[in-house]
Amino acid sequence: MDKTVETAKPDLKQVDEILSRYQDQKWPLIPLLQEVQDEIGYIPPEAIEPIARGTGLFPVQVQGVITFYEQFHTTPRGKNIVRVCRGTACHVRGGRTILKIVKQNLDVEEGETTPDMNFTLETVPCLGTCFLAPAMMVNKNYYGKLAPPKVRNILQQYDNAGD
Ligand code: FES
């Protein structure tokens, strides 16, 4: 099922404001992109041209940096980022079931965002908390030794009005 979500046009005035603050810096691109993403939630493709102009780069160079760094996103993401571990330690302790339960509860596949923009689901190779396997994160919070009912409770805590 296509989970593409129609969202409002990004406000590029925010990009101009951020650019003005980085004008005198020598190599401002990465912190600048981070700030745009923090402010808007992602880096809108329409922002690449003004960012290139403001930093004296070609748009293709800005695009190259965005593509290179996994931390940058060019599509809107949910308010809450759910990261389910796909690593070996989690896998042998039921990680696949945890991922299935998260997908069922949110009704999205990996990389997708719920239509209400509340959750984006991602998977990661290891969360670095193998002793908690099977594990997942929601935003900056770790959850471990998961079982299906616990997963449902965790997701409910972040459901819209929550968090
Ligand atoms: S394998 Fe899942 S946290 Fe390391």
Side-chain angles (χ1 to χ4, degrees), residues 85 87-90 125-130 135:
C85 182
T88 308
C90 289
C126 179
L127 289 170
T129 54
C130 308

Side-chain angles (χ1 to χ4, degrees), residues 9-19 29 32-37 39-63 66 73-75:
K9 276 220 168 281
D11 180 5
L12 294 185
K13 264 192 232 138
Q14 291 168 289
V15 176
D16 289 338
E17 276 169 36
I18 294 167
L19 272 169
L29 188 58
L32 190 156
L33 290 172
Q34 267 160 350
E35 198 168 330
V36 169
Q37 182 161 282
E39 199 68 40
I40 300 178
Y42 68 109
I43 300 167
E46 305 93 305
I48 290 172
E49 185 80 40
I51 290 171
R53 252 198 323 273
T55 52
L57 296 166
F58 292 111
V60 69
Q61 292 173 300
V62 176
Q63 181 65 59
I66 293 169
H73 304 279
T74 52
T75 51

